[in-house]
Amino acid sequence: MVALRNTVPPSPPAPPTAHEAELARSSSRLLAACLGQGESARLRVHDGNDVIEVPVSALRLLVDILANMAEGRAVGLMPKNAELTTQQAAELLNVSRPFLISLIESGQIECHMVGTHRRIYARDVMAYKARRDAEGREAMEALAAQAQELGMGY
């Protein structure tokens, strides 16, 4: 059994193979069709007679994971309270480490110190990413509206 800890694995997961993507596609559809409205669901594993009760929220997460794998995307799990190094956070945001440090120093992303090293909670990185993405969408919508006003649309 693998325990999730508050740290992130050092290397990103590999994209699924074509066979894994096809399995993910079919199993995500089947699993999504079986989800009810209750708080838990029971699964029977084909290799045994054990019945496993699983929270529906976990099954929904599994459906999302399988759907992403079906699209060929690599998928990894990270607890929201995972502590990231500045390098890991920079990689997650696809920015340089010095740029990330500037975001921390300007107060756009919170961090805490562990000894002499900065650590950033994954939830804070993801909150910044959500804000950045929303601002980008708003800017694109404003540009599209301005282009339409100027008759530059197609």
Side-chain angles (χ1 to χ4, degrees):
M1 180 174 177
V2 177
L4 287 178
R5 298 182 316 189
N6 291 339
T7 58
V8 176
S11 60
T17 64
H19 178 68
E20 290 170 334
E22 185 53 41
L23 280 175
R25 183 174 293 106
S26 62
S27 58
S28 69
R29 287 184 193 136
L30 290 170
L31 190 55
C34 294
L35 292 179
Q37 298 299 320
E39 291 182 10
S40 66
R42 292 177 189 228
L43 302 176
R44 185 176 306 271
V45 179
H46 180 53
D47 289 342
N49 292 323
D50 293 334
V51 174
I52 303 167
E53 191 165 353
V54 180
V56 169
S57 59
L59 291 177
R60 286 190 182 108
L61 180 60
L62 180 56
V63 169
D64 288 344
I65 290 168
L66 292 168
N68 276 282
M69 287 180 70
E71 295 296 321
R73 296 184 194 106
V75 178
L77 291 177
M78 179 185 337
K80 286 185 177 183
N81 61 343
E83 291 184 343
L84 306 175
T85 65
T86 53
Q87 185 61 46
Q88 289 169 324
E91 289 171 3
L92 191 60
L93 293 172
N94 200 26
V95 300
S96 69
R97 186 178 167 280
F99 182 76
L100 178 80
I101 298 300
S102 71
L103 293 173
I104 291 169
E105 290 174 349
S106 68
Q108 295 182 59
I109 297 180
E110 290 185 37
C111 79
H112 60 280
M113 300 300 287
V114 175
T116 59
H117 301 281
R118 292 180 178 102
R119 293 292 182 264
I120 306 161
Y121 287 114
R123 65 177 174 261
D124 294 332
V125 174
M126 298 313 291
Y128 170 80
K129 186 177 184 323
R131 287 191 309 271
R132 182 187 69 182
D133 291 350
E135 290 169 2
R137 277 190 303 277
E138 290 171 9
M140 288 298 289
E141 289 170 5
L143 283 173
Q146 186 179 37
Q148 291 237 329
E149 290 173 9
L150 296 172
M152 297 172 67
Y154 291 91

Coordinates of all heavy atoms in Angstrom, one line a residue, residues 8 75 106 146 153:
V8 N 5.8 16.0 -2.8 CA 5.6 15.8 -4.2 C 6.7 14.8 -4.7 O 7.8 15.0 -4.4 CB 5.5 17.1 -5.0 CG1 5.3 16.8 -6.5 CG2 4.4 18.0 -4.5
V75 N -0.9 11.9 -15.5 CA -1.7 12.3 -14.4 C -0.9 12.0 -13.1 O -0.4 10.9 -13.0 CB -3.1 11.6 -14.4 CG1 -3.9 12.0 -13.1 CG2 -3.9 12.0 -15.6
S106 N 7.1 39.7 -4.0 CA 6.0 40.7 -4.2 C 4.7 40.4 -3.5 O 3.8 41.1 -3.5 CB 5.8 40.9 -5.7 OG 5.2 39.7 -6.2
Q146 N -12.8 44.2 -28.1 CA -12.2 45.4 -28.8 C -12.1 45.2 -30.3 O -12.4 46.0 -31.1 CB -10.9 45.7 -28.1 CG -10.3 47.0 -28.6 CD -9.0 47.3 -27.9 OE1 -8.2 46.4 -27.7 NE2 -8.8 48.6 -27.7
G153 N -13.1 41.6 -36.6 CA -13.5 40.2 -36.4 C -13.7 39.5 -37.8 O -13.7 40.1 -38.8

